[in-house]
Amino acid sequence: MSAEKLIRMANQIATFMESKPHAEALEGFAAHINDFWDPRMRRQLFEILDSGGDGLRPLVIEAADRIRRPAAAA
């Protein structure tokens, strides 16, 4: 998947979650990513986060420590 599409998807989820109280938004965002994104998508998200998170909404960046980081690809 292109980085642009993945960023757009993460930001759409974050935008929805931002209507909730902040703590709930963080947990809700992370839970959605953990439950519905496969390890490849989460790995790619962490690659973007690890390189500075350009283009990601602040909620995505802040919730990163609540997202399960997949093992490195073989």
Side-chain angles (χ1 to χ4, degrees), residues 3-66:
E4 293 79 19
K5 183 172 182 178
L6 191 117
I7 289 168
R8 185 174 65 247
M9 290 171 60
N11 285 342
Q12 286 174 330
I13 298 162
T15 298
F16 172 78
M17 293 296 172
E18 288 166 355
S19 66
K20 302 175 181 298
H22 189 68
E24 187 179 339
L26 287 170
E27 289 302 321
F29 178 83
H32 182 89
I33 299 301
N34 286 327
D35 291 346
F36 299 108
W37 284 28
D38 69 38
R40 291 171 298 172
M41 292 172 71
R42 287 185 283 122
R43 190 175 299 112
Q44 188 175 6
L45 177 61
F46 276 106
E47 289 170 2
I48 295 165
L49 286 162
D50 292 344
S51 67
D54 289 343
L56 291 171
R57 296 185 67 79
L59 183 72
V60 178
I61 296 167
E62 191 176 349
D65 64 342
R66 294 171 167 87

